[in-house]
Amino acid sequence: MTATELLKDLKNRKYKPIYLLHGEEPYYIDLVSDFVEHKLLSDAEKGFNQTVFYGKDTDIMSVLNASKRYPMMADYQVVLVKEAQDMKWGNDDADKKGINPLLSYLENPLSSTVLVFCYKYGKFDKRKKTYKAIEKSGLIFESAPLYDSKVPGWIEDFIAGKGYKINQQASLMLAEYLGNDLSKIANELDKLMLNISAGQEINLKLIQDNIGISKEYNVFELQAALGKKDAFKANQIINYFEANPKANPIVLVLGNLNNFFSKVLVYHYVKDKSPQNLARELGVSPYFVKDYEQAARSYNYGKTMQIISYLREYDVKSKGVDSNTDHGGLMKELVFKILH
């Protein structure tokens, strides 16, 4: 079941007695959690029928005791456990009397309780009896990270759902700049849409003006300059980065360059170099394939491996290990080593 289908069922009041929302991508878990917290019950019903726990501040018995209560002047009560990954769940073993309170409830939950566990930043262990009991009595939703190649399409769908449009170049640049952190992307897009008219198309200029991506001096232009071995342009960009460190932190620059050159390495491995196959193997839009072709011509397999090694070395140095050089100096050193 997708997050959209799950939210549709909740809006139609088709409830399960137990939900386990888990996975490495927190965006959809937060989206469903917010709906459960704010929309399942009316404001009048929430006072007696809604309990919100935080994993690190509670224990499983408190959650179970709340779940066993019956609703007051409402059809349902809601028990929401946020940050459930921080809660001590106990093990699957029974106590001395042969009873496991958690499994006992999960196997026979109250139909008038909607119990929701929000288990973020990782997968719940599917081998546990707890997982299997929830799977049988309730619903499990796994929120998996989005592949980089799917992010531009996600951005376009998100924008369309808000009544706006975005052109392809703009969605590609956003995806490259922000990565696949959906919460971060959604936050930036929400802020952007506050500054434009309803229905207006989002283009590169709007993104550059509102999200802080310089048109000439950004990490994508740096990648392009390095890919072409344009030393003059690459050093212009690095000088700009040094003068504007908050807008271009070294961790962002190193992360993007590592991603770029890792894909150049994949390019060298791929035998079928047709544009369609390269786009699939590299996990990028066909629009960007030419950039990797250019970089692969500039850097052979051995040099690409050496560059990836440099990126790892300078990532360590940027954290202050074996280096007293400031971040601007480190980026200049790195670019020199890549180009020569």
Side-chain angles (χ1 to χ4, degrees), residues 19-304:
Y19 293 87
L20 171 61
L21 316 176
H22 75 125
E24 296 172 18
E25 172 53 67
Y27 175 77
Y28 287 114
I29 296 174
D30 288 338
L31 197 67
V32 175
S33 174
D34 287 346
F35 185 89
V36 169
E37 183 174 6
H38 300 293
K39 301 293 185 181
L40 246 62
L41 301 178
S42 68
D43 289 340
E45 292 172 330
K46 287 177 186 174
F48 292 108
N49 299 292
Q50 182 159 294
T51 307
V52 178
F53 293 103
Y54 287 85
K56 64 180 180 180
D57 299 323
T58 192
D59 57 77
I60 197 64
M61 289 309 301
S62 297
V63 174
L64 294 178
N65 289 335
S67 301
K68 292 175 183 178
R69 294 198 298 259
Y70 287 94
M72 294 181 63
M73 296 177 288
D75 294 327
Y76 296 93
Q77 71 143 341
V78 171
V79 178
L80 178 62
V81 186
K82 297 184 176 184
E83 311 294 341
Q85 72 278 2
D86 295 329
M87 183 176 67
K88 292 182 179 179
W89 288 73
N91 54 45
D92 283 346
D93 298 329
D95 61 18
K96 293 180 180 179
K97 297 180 180 179
I99 299 172
N100 182 312
L102 174 57
L103 286 176
S104 295
Y105 181 81
L106 296 178
E107 290 167 355
N108 294 285
L110 282 183
S111 59
S112 57
T113 293
V114 179
L115 171 58
V116 182
F117 294 107
C118 301
Y119 191 102
K120 299 197 295 185
Y121 311 116
K123 298 179 183 180
F124 196 92
D125 190 343
K126 296 181 181 181
R127 298 167 298 178
K128 286 185 172 291
K129 294 178 183 177
T130 302
Y131 182 94
K132 295 172 182 176
I134 296 174
E135 190 175 38
K136 185 175 181 180
S137 300
L139 186 146
I140 296 176
F141 169 74
E142 181 179 337
S143 186
L146 203 62
Y147 289 114
D148 290 345
S149 60
K150 301 292 185 182
V151 174
W154 186 92
I155 290 172
E156 290 166 15
D157 291 342
F158 181 89
I159 290 290
K162 302 281 186 175
Y164 294 83
K165 296 179 182 178
I166 185 169
N167 65 39
Q168 186 182 45
Q169 278 189 307
S171 64
L172 289 170
M173 173 172 272
L174 268 178
E176 284 288 315
Y177 186 73
L178 297 174
N180 66 349
D181 184 335
L182 301 186
S183 298
K184 183 178 180 181
I185 295 170
N187 184 53
E188 292 291 348
L189 290 174
D190 283 335
K191 288 191 292 185
L192 174 61
M193 287 182 282
L194 290 174
N195 297 314
I196 62 176
S197 304
Q200 184 176 354
E201 183 177 80
I202 296 170
N203 54 31
L204 285 177
K205 186 176 186 307
L206 281 172
I207 290 171
Q208 289 155 359
D209 290 346
N210 290 278
I211 298 183
I213 306 175
S214 168
K215 184 176 182 179
E216 293 184 71
Y217 303 111
N218 59 65
V219 72
F220 315 111
E221 291 300 320
L222 176 60
Q223 288 174 183
L226 292 174
K228 297 172 186 175
K229 283 200 167 182
D230 185 340
F232 179 75
K233 181 66 174 179
N235 281 291
Q236 271 190 323
I237 295 169
I238 287 298
N239 288 333
Y240 178 84
F241 286 0
E242 185 177 26
N244 298 272
K246 290 185 178 179
N248 303 278
I250 192 169
V251 64
L252 175 66
V253 176
L254 292 175
N256 277 276
L257 289 181
N258 185 67
N259 186 47
F260 179 74
F261 281 103
S262 293
K263 287 176 180 175
V264 175
L265 186 63
V266 172
Y267 181 97
H268 284 298
Y269 273 112
V270 174
K271 292 183 180 179
D272 177 3
K273 288 185 167 50
S274 63
Q276 296 82 3
N277 186 62
L278 281 169
R280 182 170 56 254
E281 293 291 339
L282 298 176
V284 301
S285 164
Y287 179 85
F288 286 120
V289 167
K290 63 183 184 298
D291 295 333
Y292 296 97
E293 289 175 336
Q294 173 65 61
R297 286 195 294 269
S298 299
Y299 305 98
N300 62 27
Y301 171 82
K303 180 61 177 178
T304 304

Side-chain angles (χ1 to χ4, degrees), residues 2-20:
T2 66
T4 301
E5 292 168 336
L6 174 52
L7 286 168
K8 183 179 179 181
D9 279 355
L10 292 174
K11 288 173 184 176
N12 291 330
R13 297 180 65 81
K14 295 179 180 178
Y15 304 146
K16 297 286 186 180
I18 310 164
Y19 293 87
L20 171 61

